């Protein structure tokens, strides 16, 4: 069989620990034998980030902007313990945060479903994709805790010199205060990313806030989303999809009663909380895909989970681990399919779909990593290690192609 040809390279962002090990296995066993893979390689593994003073992360994000599609392995976000473990010069920022800030992107997370793993919510038949607005609100707040009574004020000083002043509250005794912000430009980008992604995946968009209580702040989110939607209305109607706004508490109730199959656009905090609820209710973090979409249409695919450190330490002792490679494989298939779409390469799209089918076929036969074995119902399961799982996927893929 001739290898499938590519036109434009994918931006490949390698990473750390167990996922770096899986990354190599996935490439060698599931991609390189079938695809004449073109990538521009960036090593975001922590040692190389440290050697380059994190320049490699910036370069990889610039490359993603240039080529349009990237695939990223999970990476360590350094903390105090990692400083000594890796002898770092500095506590580098999270690569995901750096890349997200440079692309001004929105993260979409969707679970991969198999019949044998039933969502905790029995109504759910299709995946629910969470789109989290990842800028501002309480994540960039300022806070004060006082030890006496007094008055807290909110003052805005405009570039023009205008002043807007409001009393937050006058308290008789000690209390807590919080100030937070968001940017119109960021909310607008978020709206574009959500509506664009909805068109790409032909799904409705739900957005919710609490504008009855927060008339100005949440009210602005509601207004800007509605305004941007007008640019998409005709294309939504043509695609047979809809935009729906409701209050956040009503949205939560409706999500639980729904069958799934839509994008739930969330404000920053709602997205933080709800993505953990939705992913757990669907089964496992190891079955959750994640894609960063920029308003200019740059796509960066990754797994939602981290570098699976506990498994890596066992791997370093020479043990075979049963780490689930599904989300990382789907990051590759997502990127290859998108590259195929943009470059009009039907064979590459077909390859991506076939590799996903092969994964599903192996899972549906009950062959799975340990994290899934306990969740599966109604089928005979066999727990395998990562190597055995990937080998089974390769056999299945060879048969499909
Ligand atoms: P994690 O790597 O997602 O792992 C947490 C636990 O979840 C694992 O110990 C494992 O549980 C289970 N798990 C996650 N993925 C799995 C998989 N593919 N197969 C089987 N089990 C899986 O999160 P963490 O331990 O909090 O973070 C580890 C490192 O990853 C940190 O340095 C963090 O900075 C980084 N991180 C990176 C990203 C990213 O690059 N996007 C995201 C999150 C975290 P058991 O041990 O019980 O089997
Ligand atoms: Mg969270």
């Amino acid at each position: 069989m001739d290898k499938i040809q590519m036109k434009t390279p994918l931006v490949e962002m390698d990473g750390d620990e167990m996922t770096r090990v899986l990354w190599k296995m996935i490439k060698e066993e599931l991609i390189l034998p079938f695809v004449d893979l073109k990538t521009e390689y960036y090593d975001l593994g922590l040692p190389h980030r440290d050697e380059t003073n994190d320049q490699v992360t910036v370069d990889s994000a610039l490359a993603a902007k240039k080529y349009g599609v990237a695939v990223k392995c999970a990476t360590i976000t350094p903390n105090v313990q990692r400083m000594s473990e890796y002898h770092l010069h500095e506590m580098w920022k999270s690569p995901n945060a750096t890349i997200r800030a440079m692309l001004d992107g929105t993260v979409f997370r969707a679970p991969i479903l198999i019949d044998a793993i039933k969502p905790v919510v029995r109504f759910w038949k299709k995946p629910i994709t969470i789109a989290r607005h990842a800028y501002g609100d309480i994540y960039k707040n300022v806070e004060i805790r006082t030890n006496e009574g007094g008055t807290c004020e909110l003052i805005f000083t405009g570039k023009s010199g205008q002043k807007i002043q409001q009393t937050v509250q006058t308290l008789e005794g000690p209390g807590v205060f919080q100030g937070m912000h968001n940017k119109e430009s960021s909310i607008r980008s978020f709206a574009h990313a959500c509506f664009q992604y909805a068109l790409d995946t032909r799904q409705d968009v739900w957005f919710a806030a609490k504008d009855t209580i927060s008339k100005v702040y949440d009210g602005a989110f509601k207004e800007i989303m509605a305004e941007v939607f007008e640019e998409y209305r005709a294309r939504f109607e043509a695609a047979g999809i809809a935009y729906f706004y409701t209050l956040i508490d009503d949205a939560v109730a409706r999500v639980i009663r729904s069958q799934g199959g839509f994008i739930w656009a969330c404000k920053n905090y709602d997205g933080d909380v709800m993505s953990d609820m939705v992913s757990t209710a669907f089964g496992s973090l190891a079955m959750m895909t994640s894609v960063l979409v920029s308003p200019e249409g740059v796509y960066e695919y990754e797994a939602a989970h981290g570098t699976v450190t506990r498994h890596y330490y066992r791997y370093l002792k020479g043990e075979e681990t049963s780490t689930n490679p599904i989300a990382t494989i789907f990051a590759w298939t997502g990127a290859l399919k998108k590259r195929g779409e943009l470059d009009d390469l039907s064979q590459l799209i077909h390859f991506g779909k076939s590799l996903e089918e092969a994964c599903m076929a192996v899972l549906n036969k009950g062959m799975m990593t340990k994290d899934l074995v306990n969740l599966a119902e109604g089928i005979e399961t066999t727990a395998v290690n990562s190597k055995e799982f990937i080998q089974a996927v390769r056999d299945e893929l060879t048969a499909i192609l």
Side-chain angles (χ1 to χ4, degrees):
M1 197 186 86
D2 284 342
K3 286 193 186 181
I4 297 162
Q5 296 297 312
M6 293 178 66
K7 283 183 193 159
T8 320
L10 280 179
V11 178
E12 177 183 352
M13 304 168 172
D14 206 346
D16 289 298
E17 301 195 313
M18 205 57 222
T19 38
R20 188 179 179 98
V21 176
L22 292 177
W23 194 259
K24 188 158 177 278
M25 281 163 53
I26 291 167
K27 274 177 71 178
E28 284 174 359
E29 292 294 325
L30 302 179
I31 299 173
L32 292 172
F34 308 97
V35 179
D36 191 18
L37 186 68
K38 279 198 177 77
T39 73
E40 197 165 292
Y41 180 85
Y42 292 86
D43 183 2
L44 301 197
L46 188 50
H48 193 240
R49 271 183 279 150
D50 193 51
E51 278 164 29
T52 62
N53 292 327
D54 209 24
Q55 184 61 36
V56 64
T57 305
V58 173
D59 291 345
S60 74
L62 290 173
K65 279 186 160 191
K66 175 174 167 197
Y67 292 112
V69 186
V71 56
K72 181 179 171 291
C73 179
T75 45
I76 293 169
T77 299
N79 54 17
V80 176
Q81 181 240 320
R82 300 295 197 171
M83 291 290 290
S84 50
E85 184 183 355
Y86 283 84
H87 310 289
L88 301 179
H89 296 104
E90 213 176 288
M91 207 187 297
W92 307 109
K93 278 204 310 194
S94 145
N96 285 34
T98 302
I99 296 166
R100 207 182 296 143
M102 284 181 65
L103 299 182
D104 191 14
T106 298
V107 177
F108 296 85
R109 290 195 159 181
I112 299 157
L113 308 187
I114 60 167
D115 289 342
I117 300 178
K118 305 260 179 279
V120 175
V121 181
R122 62 190 156 82
F123 300 116
W124 291 355
K125 300 279 182 281
K126 294 181 202 160
I128 294 169
T129 302
I130 298 256
R132 174 179 171 188
H133 179 222
Y135 178 84
D137 299 352
I138 60 163
Y139 302 86
K140 266 194 179 296
N141 69 359
V142 290
E143 305 183 319
I144 299 171
R145 182 170 182 180
T146 61
N147 55 13
E148 59 173 341
T151 300
C152 180
E153 285 179 316
L154 193 60
I155 302 169
F156 170 80
T157 312
K159 283 183 182 162
S160 67
Q162 76 158 320
K163 251 195 169 68
I164 307 173
Q165 188 160 353
Q166 287 223 30
T167 301
V168 177
Q169 194 65 274
T170 299
L171 295 183
E172 289 309 318
V176 284
F177 303 93
Q178 163 166 261
M180 63 184 193
H181 79 280
N182 222 298
K183 297 191 290 188
E184 256 200 60
S185 61
S186 171
I187 303 169
R188 222 168 271 283
S189 290
F190 174 62
H192 281 292
C194 289
F195 295 137
Q196 195 56 56
Y197 194 72
L199 285 171
D200 275 3
T201 58
R202 285 194 170 245
Q203 299 184 87
D204 292 351
V205 176
W206 294 19
F207 175 63
K210 193 74 182 179
D211 66 290
T212 44
I213 300 297
S214 169
K215 291 188 168 56
V216 175
Y217 198 104
D218 279 23
F221 274 81
K222 179 184 176 183
E223 241 177 71
I224 293 167
M225 290 291 286
E227 197 186 302
V228 174
F229 176 64
E230 287 311 316
E231 295 175 39
Y232 291 84
R233 183 183 287 281
R235 279 175 283 168
F236 265 53
E237 277 166 11
I241 55 175
Y243 169 59
F244 170 62
Y245 174 83
T246 186
L247 290 168
I248 185 68
D249 38 356
D250 180 51
V252 170
R254 283 173 189 262
V255 164
I256 297 295
R257 290 195 308 263
S258 79
Q259 298 205 335
F262 53 88
I263 297 162
W264 187 5
C266 288
K267 287 183 61 202
N268 209 350
Y269 176 80
D270 298 337
D272 186 353
V273 176
M274 292 306 162
S275 64
D276 282 24
M277 185 199 68
V278 168
S279 66
T280 308
F282 270 113
S284 155
L285 192 58
M287 295 287 277
M288 185 66 80
T289 61
S290 184
V291 55
L292 176 72
V293 182
S294 88
E296 289 84 40
V298 177
Y299 293 77
E300 185 234 279
Y301 294 85
E302 63 172 340
H305 59 77
T307 59
V308 210
T309 311
R310 294 210 315 178
H311 293 212
Y312 183 59
Y313 292 158
R314 274 187 256 141
Y315 166 86
L316 288 180
K317 287 189 202 146
E319 288 175 39
E320 284 295 343
T321 70
S322 183
T323 317
N324 189 339
I326 292 277
T328 306
I329 296 173
F330 274 61
W332 275 98
T333 58
L336 290 169
K337 287 191 301 179
K338 181 50 82 179
R339 201 60 272 171
E341 241 174 67
L342 296 175
D343 291 347
D344 206 12
L345 297 169
S346 57
Q347 277 199 313
L348 197 59
I349 300 174
H350 179 251
F351 173 78
K353 286 184 180 160
S354 303
L355 178 47
E356 290 175 0
E357 269 169 41
C359 291
M360 300 315 258
V362 173
L363 291 175
N364 286 326
K365 284 181 185 162
M367 196 187 260
M368 40 188 73
T369 43
K370 280 184 190 152
D371 55 309
L372 299 184
V373 163
N374 296 330
L375 300 171
E377 292 168 35
I379 53 166
E380 283 280 325
T381 56
T382 326
V384 292
N385 64 40
S386 305
K387 221 183 232 168
E388 291 163 337
F389 184 82
I390 288 174
Q391 191 54 53
V393 173
R394 177 164 178 177
D395 293 343
E396 200 69 47
L397 178 62
T398 309
I400 295 174
L401 295 171

